[in-house]
Amino acid sequence: MYSDKTMDLFRHPKNIGEIKDADAIGKVGNKICGDVMWVYLKIGKNKKGEEVIEDIKVKTFGCVAAIATSSALTEVVKGMRLSEAEKITKQNVAGYVGGLPPAKVHCSVLAVDGLRKAIKEYKKKKRK
Amino acid sequence: MYSDKTMDLFRHPKNIGEIKDADAIGKVGNKICGDVMWVYLKIGKNKKGEEVIEDIKVKTFGCVAAIATSSALTEVVKGMRLSEAEKITKQNVAGYVGGLPPAKVHCSVLAVDGLRKAIKEYKKKKRK
Amino acid sequence: MKRIYLDHAATTPLDERVLREMKPFFSEKYGNASSLHSFGREAREAIERARETVASAINAEPEEIVFNSGGTEGDNTAVHGIAYPNRKKGRHIVTTKIEHHAVERACEFLEKDGFEVTYLEVDREGFIDLPKLEAATGKETILVSVMHANNEIGTIEPIAEIGKICREREIYFHTDAVQSVGKEKIDIKAMNIDLLSASGHKFYGPKGVGFLYVRKGTKLRPLMHGGGHEKGLRSGTENVVGIVGLAKALEIAEAEREKEAARKRKLAKGLVKQALEIENSWMNGPEIGKKRLSNNVNLGFDFVEGESMVLMLDDKGIACSTGSACSTKDLRPSHVLLAIGLKPWQAHGSLRLTMGRDTKEKDIRQVIESVNEIVGKLREISPMYKGGN
Amino acid sequence: MKRIYLDHAATTPLDERVLREMKPFFSEKYGNASSLHSFGREAREAIERARETVASAINAEPEEIVFNSGGTEGDNTAVHGIAYPNRKKGRHIVTTKIEHHAVERACEFLEKDGFEVTYLEVDREGFIDLPKLEAATGKETILVSVMHANNEIGTIEPIAEIGKICREREIYFHTDAVQSVGKEKIDIKAMNIDLLSASGHKFYGPKGVGFLYVRKGTKLRPLMHGGGHEKGLRSGTENVVGIVGLAKALEIAEAEREKEAARKRKLAKGLVKQALEIENSWMNGPEIGKKRLSNNVNLGFDFVEGESMVLMLDDKGIACSTGSACSTKDLRPSHVLLAIGLKPWQAHGSLRLTMGRDTKEKDIRQVIESVNEIVGKLREISPMYKGGN
Ligand SMILES: Cc1ncc(COP(=O)(O)O)c(C=O)c1O
Ligand SMILES: Cc1ncc(COP(=O)(O)O)c(C=O)c1O
């Protein structure tokens, strides 16, 4: 059912946990649907002065697809410019884990939602 | 499906054939239903002067049940008083062959019909 | 006593190679294919491999194969499953007078439920008439169901032509291929088939498992509701070992198909030729050749009844069947034999001999000898033979 | 890695003794039970012997046993087969909120076709309320369908009492006994059951075969039409080898029933006791005892999701299941767990462990250890555990 890549990411999830002094936290999902994800962001700057994702961590309550995709996404965006990370679409994520069964694609959406929400949160904070 | 007795009577049918100088022949059944039976009778008298079935033979176009019951019936009635033979009912015959599957009972009826018709034939002839 | 089995149209033995393929799935890889764990995944993978094997044998896509419990289920699912959800479009169905009871009675049921069914006549050899089929279909027609090969007399209907007619008119076309799968080449796409039913035990696979081909996009209602297995078209825990066996059996049958057909046709020719030397005998169905199932021989003998023949042959170790009323539960002779124009008493005198992979030249010789003897014996006691007296 | 299978409610391995009984029927006694010849008679005799075995296990008459393809078919046949021919009497059906999908969806189908269905609530342990059942039935009620034992939480419903109520009111009573046959004593007569469905693969028999008990005189419409097998109630070439296997499996299960139940209850008690030492955990379903299937344990763990648990346990060689949405095709968590009052996120955190004949004390120990470890791991990455932050 799941690809080897998905199972590998599920077995050895990356960037799991919290960032104590996170610049922003994106909390998404709901308990009723059975998946909840919190995405912690630490933002820094690269040599060109652009904002980049210096560190990212997630906490996931959810199924294999949710855990694997959140883990894959963090790997992909770590070090990425914020402007670029914003552009990641829901379609991309299933690809990161080697594809997902159709019924499971909706679980992968959460990770993108979480990242976007965290970035939005960060921008809002900055504006204040 | 068939009892051992039925199969035995089918394999070794008794009193099969014709009686050249029969006193009566009972022809029953129809080709469309797939069973036809001709019963040949030779009538004699016993010591008391009663009419008895001296000889009986049948020809059968039909299934196992038809062949077996016609064979069984001839065995039973051979030597029997005519008055007694007339009383044999359709219910008796299935018993002679050790019982029949419900769907097959109707095939056993033919033998009784044939016997009755032959006796009737005989009586009619005598009256003339 | 060595027994000679000539009733392969009724059922076949499980091929030993098939059983070998099935073995691991009895007590080792026994998982439920819906389970997430490794036992479940093993089962799922085996089923999907089997699905691919079956699909490729008939040039279908794997997702178009629905595994079920056999031919009767497939036929009922196809006929009722098309009729009900498409009745808004029309309530007319076209089929033939020589379908297997599974299709025939599913249709009769529909007649009582407000559908109209046309039962096409067939000619003396059992073939339907294409112009008559065309004439029978109308705007109200939602389904045409014509069997690929007849189980009693072996007639192979022109299903590619029927498929073409139906596709042009946008009418669903179902074919009962229970007798032909593994014996005749089937190309779902070239033949424009929408639904096709098959049963494992007819081609040396296990009993209790079959498949229904359902073309993508077909509006079909399932017969059974439940866990949503087989894309919702057939709920119920999948019979993994059965499915594995069915696929293996089909793979073998396909590999040996042409060679076996040629071999059996030769045997059939010899059998028929010698049998017809018996006086007052005839053959039912088309002549031996491409338009007849290679393993089917159906003979008729005047003045004798089929059940008696079958049981006397059985005493000699020969297993075969008859279309006589007396062998059925409902006491009517074979509707197929009547449809090709036989008189009832002729239908009673029919004998069906269906050969298999193990059937040898010398078996045929022995059968001829026995048939000869038995027909003679039964005629001797028959009042209809030579006028009786 | 030695694998521990704790998913016997999903399916069971075929018992080696059963396979041995089945063996002659694959490639030797392979006849079609409808055939007249010796191959056919061998098959017929085997089926009728099997029918007697099955009948006597549930105190029924042999002619009341209809062999079919499994539990889903039995459930559908019972529900639809009673509903349609009896609709003149009424169009109301009573069932429960915790039936298997096979009954549930067969009922939902009927709702769309003009029937009214009452889905009875259950209490926290999964039991229906008899007065509520009585109150739900009326003049229009033609069928009550209540499962004997629930497949997820093991609740054993008071079917003898339900049977009594239905018989008094002349309402047909069907029970889905797929999980209980071979595990619980069933007496058709004493329990006043009219229809009962069972599936071979749930009691160490083969997949793809089951039976439906149909009380004499019941007005039932078959799901499949055709050759008129099984007294016209289930057409289709009989799966002889499957039927032989099912009967043998049931015979064994009955012989070992009480001993096995006692043994498994002891294991279950130990398992539950230790599992509940994990914080924020609970048990679903009734307490271990006579009112719960002896082999069923269903646990809940807060803050973790079931599919993840199942697959992590699978990595450790332990096979079990969950009522989490993420393990199903339709993404809703188990309707059974919701019906007993669990919140959706609690349903997501459920784990079903169903033991079998091979389950040993030491397996239980290993399972506890693994569950403990895995729940810990998953909670660590869960934002819901200890408030996250
Ligand atoms: C042409 C045809 N259709 C359908 C069937 C039904 O298949 P099954 O008995 O396997 O359900 C058969 C055989 O019995 C058949 O010969
Ligand atoms: C209670 C219950 N009813 C019905 C079924 C359906 O049985 P099957 O899948 O064998 O058709 C099952 C198992 O899947 C079950 O547990």
Side-chain angles (χ1 to χ4, degrees):
Chain A
M1 178 183 168
Y2 288 118
S3 70
D4 289 346
K5 185 141 184 210
T6 303
M7 285 308 295
D8 193 53
L9 282 159
F10 165 67
R11 287 186 185 116
H12 313 287
K14 305 291 179 335
N15 306 309
I16 292 295
E18 303 163 26
I19 300 176
K20 284 275 180 274
D21 57 344
D23 290 321
I25 307 178
K27 298 184 180 183
V28 289
N30 76 48
K31 288 207 293 184
I32 293 173
C33 295
D35 39 17
V36 176
M37 206 178 286
W38 291 6
V39 177
Y40 300 78
L41 284 185
K42 186 85 203 156
I43 308 295
K45 294 229 161 115
N46 65 7
K47 283 178 222 152
K48 293 190 191 158
E50 296 160 324
E51 284 174 317
V52 295
I53 296 179
E54 206 176 85
D55 199 9
I56 179 168
K57 285 220 150 59
V58 287
K59 284 208 144 189
T60 308
F61 164 70
C63 67
V64 171
I67 293 176
T69 51
S70 61
S71 170
L73 184 70
T74 57
E75 285 277 281
V76 168
V77 303
K78 209 170 183 175
M80 199 182 251
R81 275 176 292 143
L82 218 53
S83 56
E84 216 180 320
E86 278 179 305
K87 285 183 207 140
I88 285 172
T89 71
K90 299 179 180 189
Q91 283 75 48
N92 296 135
V93 193
Y96 297 162
V97 298
L100 281 172
K104 287 297 187 169
V105 171
H106 91 111
C107 310
S108 68
V109 158
L110 202 64
V112 179
D113 283 345
L115 174 66
R116 285 189 186 161
K117 193 151 180 205
I119 294 176
K120 214 158 135 196
E121 199 83 3
Y122 168 72
K123 287 185 168 172
K124 207 156 77 184
K125 259 197 205 165
K126 221 178 59 172
R127 253 183 278 132
K128 278 185 203 161
Chain B
M1 176 182 169
Y2 288 119
S3 70
D4 289 345
K5 185 142 183 209
T6 303
M7 286 308 295
D8 194 53
L9 282 159
F10 165 67
R11 285 184 187 119
H12 313 288
K14 302 296 181 329
N15 307 309
I16 292 295
E18 303 162 27
I19 299 176
K20 283 277 181 270
D21 57 345
D23 290 319
I25 307 177
K27 298 185 180 182
V28 290
N30 75 51
K31 289 208 293 187
I32 293 172
C33 295
D35 38 18
V36 175
M37 205 178 286
W38 291 7
V39 177
Y40 300 77
L41 284 185
K42 186 83 201 155
I43 306 296
K45 293 225 162 121
N46 65 9
K47 284 177 221 154
K48 293 187 190 161
E50 296 159 325
E51 285 174 318
V52 295
I53 295 178
E54 206 174 87
D55 198 8
I56 180 166
K57 285 220 149 59
V58 287
K59 283 209 146 188
T60 309
F61 164 71
C63 65
V64 171
I67 293 176
T69 51
S70 61
S71 170
L73 184 69
T74 57
E75 286 276 280
V76 168
V77 301
K78 212 169 181 176
M80 199 180 252
R81 274 175 293 145
L82 217 54
S83 57
E84 217 181 320
E86 279 179 306
K87 286 184 206 139
I88 285 173
T89 69
K90 299 178 182 191
Q91 282 75 49
N92 297 135
V93 193
Y96 297 163
V97 299
L100 281 171
K104 287 297 187 168
V105 171
H106 90 111
C107 310
S108 67
V109 159
L110 203 62
V112 179
D113 283 344
L115 175 65
R116 284 188 187 163
K117 194 154 180 201
I119 295 176
K120 217 160 134 192
E121 200 84 4
Y122 168 72
K123 288 186 168 171
K124 211 158 71 185
K125 260 196 207 164
K126 221 179 58 169
R127 254 181 278 134
K128 278 183 202 160
Chain C
M1 180 172 57
K2 201 209 142 204
R3 295 193 291 177
I4 299 175
Y5 185 76
L6 286 177
D7 203 8
H8 290 85
T11 194
T12 58
L14 189 71
D15 189 299
E16 299 285 354
R17 293 166 288 181
V18 173
L19 183 56
R20 220 174 301 134
E21 194 85 5
M22 289 163 69
K23 274 206 174 123
F25 296 91
F26 287 118
S27 315
E28 296 154 47
K29 302 185 178 188
Y30 55 81
N32 184 318
S34 299
S35 296
L36 296 170
H37 46 67
S38 63
F39 293 87
R41 293 196 307 269
E42 284 166 357
R44 170 61 50 212
E45 279 157 26
I47 290 174
E48 299 314 323
R49 260 197 317 276
R51 205 186 299 281
E52 281 167 28
T53 304
V54 171
S56 90
I58 60 170
N59 194 25
E61 306 302 321
E63 61 271 26
E64 296 176 321
I65 305 297
V66 178
F67 290 115
N68 61 22
S69 73
T72 298
E73 185 182 334
D75 286 346
N76 276 268
T77 305
V79 173
H80 287 188
I82 290 294
Y84 287 99
N86 294 287
R87 70 182 139 178
K88 290 243 168 67
K89 200 194 141 201
R91 289 170 160 265
H92 181 233
I93 290 165
V94 176
T95 183
T96 79
K97 288 203 161 164
I98 62 163
E99 296 300 308
H100 187 267
H101 286 321
V103 166
E104 185 200 26
R105 295 197 176 143
C107 286
E108 287 170 1
F109 179 91
L110 290 177
E111 284 184 285
K112 287 193 218 115
D113 209 13
F115 288 84
E116 200 197 320
V117 182
T118 304
Y119 298 89
L120 295 173
E121 310 260 340
V122 295
D123 65 18
R124 282 213 66 105
E125 295 189 329
F127 294 107
I128 65 147
D129 182 57
L130 289 169
K132 275 194 198 144
L133 176 108
E134 285 197 67
T137 63
K139 272 204 211 86
E140 284 277 304
T141 313
I142 50 174
L143 173 69
V144 168
S145 182
V146 176
M147 71 199 317
H148 189 189
N150 183 270
N151 45 308
E152 296 192 39
I153 54 173
T155 313
I156 293 172
E157 303 295 344
I159 58 167
E161 288 79 357
I162 302 170
K164 194 159 167 281
I165 293 169
C166 293
R167 189 61 53 87
E168 275 163 9
R169 294 164 190 228
E170 293 183 2
I171 299 167
Y172 284 121
F173 173 41
H174 166 247
T175 188
D176 173 341
V178 167
Q179 289 292 340
S180 61
V181 164
K183 294 196 200 80
E184 291 293 316
K185 179 155 182 55
I186 293 172
D187 183 328
I188 283 301
K189 295 197 176 89
M191 291 168 158
N192 287 311
I193 293 165
D194 295 306
L195 302 116
L196 175 144
S197 24
S199 197
H201 71 99
K202 302 286 190 188
F203 48 87
Y204 303 86
K207 291 180 178 60
V209 63
F211 70 86
L212 181 67
Y213 161 82
V214 183
R215 198 164 89 98
K216 252 175 294 191
T218 300
K219 200 166 166 186
L220 188 79
R221 177 177 113 176
L223 206 59
M224 284 175 223
H225 309 270
H229 307 78
E230 301 291 299
K231 291 184 178 287
L233 289 177
R234 209 296 186 175
S235 287
T237 300
E238 289 99 334
N239 177 358
V240 189
V241 63
I243 289 168
V244 165
L246 178 143
K248 183 68 186 176
L250 185 51
E251 190 181 287
I252 294 171
E254 280 299 309
E256 303 181 349
R257 182 161 48 76
E258 295 189 12
K259 220 185 72 212
E260 264 300 302
R263 194 182 71 82
K264 291 207 194 89
R265 274 204 188 96
K266 210 172 138 230
L267 291 178
K269 270 195 183 132
L271 174 51
V272 170
K273 186 167 165 287
Q274 292 174 73
L276 295 187
E277 283 168 17
I278 298 173
E279 54 169 348
N280 295 309
S281 69
W282 69 90
M283 181 175 79
N284 295 310
E287 64 175 316
I288 309 297
K290 296 273 179 219
K291 290 186 168 179
R292 180 177 191 125
L293 273 183
S294 55
N295 73 333
N296 174 294
V297 168
N298 194 312
L299 302 165
F301 301 97
D302 272 323
F303 320 126
V304 294
E305 189 278 331
E307 192 199 56
S308 294
M309 281 197 279
V310 166
L311 283 175
M312 280 199 171
L313 284 168
D314 184 49
D315 274 348
K316 295 183 171 293
I318 295 164
C320 61
S321 86
T322 173
S324 168
C326 285
S327 80
T328 64
K329 289 174 202 115
D330 57 8
L331 304 170
R332 284 176 300 180
S334 152
H335 65 292
V336 175
L337 297 179
L338 297 180
I340 60 169
L342 259 56
K343 301 288 172 228
W345 57 91
Q346 291 175 319
H348 289 302
S350 73
L351 205 61
R352 184 185 71 176
L353 304 154
T354 46
M355 298 170 293
R357 287 183 192 149
D358 286 346
T359 311
K360 298 283 178 324
E361 185 75 46
K362 69 170 196 306
D363 298 331
I364 300 296
R365 273 199 302 275
Q366 188 171 330
V367 167
I368 282 293
E369 210 171 279
S370 300
V371 168
N372 214 330
E373 180 190 330
I374 277 159
V375 169
K377 257 195 192 164
L378 285 170
R379 282 179 177 170
E380 236 167 69
I381 72 170
S382 169
M384 288 156 72
Y385 184 58
K386 284 191 182 146
N389 76 353
Chain D
M1 180 172 58
K2 199 211 143 202
R3 297 193 290 178
I4 299 174
Y5 185 77
L6 286 177
D7 204 7
H8 290 85
T11 194
T12 57
L14 189 70
D15 190 297
E16 300 284 354
R17 292 167 288 181
V18 172
L19 184 56
R20 219 173 302 134
E21 194 85 6
M22 291 163 68
K23 271 201 176 131
F25 296 91
F26 288 119
S27 316
E28 296 154 47
K29 302 185 178 187
Y30 55 81
N32 184 317
S34 299
S35 297
L36 296 170
H37 47 65
S38 64
F39 293 86
R41 293 196 307 270
E42 284 167 358
R44 170 61 50 211
E45 279 157 26
I47 290 175
E48 299 315 323
R49 259 198 317 276
R51 204 185 301 281
E52 279 167 29
T53 305
V54 171
S56 89
I58 60 171
N59 194 25
E61 304 304 318
E63 61 271 27
E64 297 176 320
I65 304 297
V66 178
F67 290 114
N68 62 21
S69 75
T72 298
E73 185 182 334
D75 286 345
N76 276 267
T77 305
V79 173
H80 287 188
I82 291 294
Y84 287 99
N86 294 288
R87 69 183 138 175
K88 289 239 169 73
K89 199 195 143 198
R91 290 172 159 265
H92 180 235
I93 291 165
V94 175
T95 183
T96 78
K97 288 204 161 159
I98 61 163
E99 295 300 308
H100 187 267
H101 286 321
V103 166
E104 186 200 24
R105 294 194 177 145
C107 285
E108 286 170 3
F109 178 92
L110 290 177
E111 284 185 285
K112 286 192 218 117
D113 208 12
F115 288 84
E116 201 198 317
V117 182
T118 303
Y119 299 89
L120 294 173
E121 312 258 341
V122 296
D123 67 17
R124 283 213 67 104
E125 296 188 330
F127 294 106
I128 65 147
D129 183 55
L130 288 169
K132 275 193 198 145
L133 175 108
E134 285 199 65
T137 62
K139 274 205 212 82
E140 284 278 305
T141 312
I142 50 173
L143 174 69
V144 168
S145 181
V146 176
M147 70 199 318
H148 189 188
N150 183 271
N151 45 308
E152 296 192 39
I153 55 174
T155 312
I156 294 173
E157 301 295 344
I159 58 167
E161 287 80 357
I162 301 170
K164 193 158 167 281
I165 293 169
C166 293
R167 190 61 53 86
E168 276 164 9
R169 293 165 190 227
E170 294 182 4
I171 299 166
Y172 285 122
F173 173 41
H174 165 248
T175 188
D176 173 341
V178 168
Q179 289 292 339
S180 61
V181 164
K183 294 197 199 81
E184 290 294 316
K185 177 152 184 55
I186 293 173
D187 183 327
I188 282 302
K189 295 198 177 90
M191 290 168 158
N192 287 311
I193 294 166
D194 295 306
L195 302 114
L196 174 144
S197 24
S199 198
H201 71 99
K202 302 287 189 187
F203 48 87
Y204 302 87
K207 292 180 176 62
V209 62
F211 70 87
L212 180 67
Y213 161 82
V214 182
R215 199 163 89 98
K216 253 174 293 189
T218 300
K219 199 166 167 187
L220 188 78
R221 177 175 114 178
L223 207 58
M224 284 174 223
H225 309 271
H229 307 77
E230 300 292 298
K231 292 185 177 285
L233 289 176
R234 207 298 186 173
S235 288
T237 300
E238 289 99 334
N239 177 359
V240 190
V241 63
I243 290 168
V244 165
L246 178 142
K248 184 68 186 176
L250 185 51
E251 190 182 288
I252 295 171
E254 279 299 309
E256 304 180 349
R257 182 162 49 77
E258 294 189 12
K259 221 184 73 212
E260 264 301 301
R263 194 183 72 83
K264 290 206 194 90
R265 274 204 188 96
K266 209 172 140 228
L267 291 178
K269 270 197 183 131
L271 173 52
V272 171
K273 188 169 165 286
Q274 290 174 73
L276 294 187
E277 282 168 17
I278 298 174
E279 54 168 348
N280 295 308
S281 68
W282 69 89
M283 182 174 79
N284 295 310
E287 64 175 316
I288 308 296
K290 296 274 179 216
K291 290 185 169 181
R292 180 177 191 127
L293 274 182
S294 55
N295 74 332
N296 174 294
V297 168
N298 194 312
L299 302 165
F301 300 97
D302 273 322
F303 321 125
V304 294
E305 189 277 331
E307 191 200 57
S308 294
M309 281 196 278
V310 166
L311 283 174
M312 280 200 172
L313 284 169
D314 184 50
D315 274 347
K316 295 183 171 294
I318 295 163
C320 61
S321 86
T322 172
S324 168
C326 285
S327 80
T328 65
K329 289 172 201 117
D330 57 7
L331 303 169
R332 285 175 301 180
S334 154
H335 65 293
V336 174
L337 297 179
L338 297 181
I340 60 168
L342 259 59
K343 301 285 174 230
W345 57 92
Q346 292 174 317
H348 289 302
S350 73
L351 205 61
R352 182 186 72 176
L353 304 154
T354 45
M355 299 171 292
R357 288 185 191 146
D358 287 346
T359 311
K360 299 281 179 321
E361 185 76 46
K362 69 171 196 306
D363 298 332
I364 301 296
R365 274 200 301 276
Q366 188 171 331
V367 167
I368 282 293
E369 210 171 279
S370 299
V371 168
N372 213 332
E373 179 190 328
I374 276 159
V375 169
K377 257 194 191 166
L378 286 169
R379 281 180 177 169
E380 235 166 70
I381 72 170
S382 169
M384 286 157 74
Y385 184 56
K386 287 193 180 144
N389 81 349

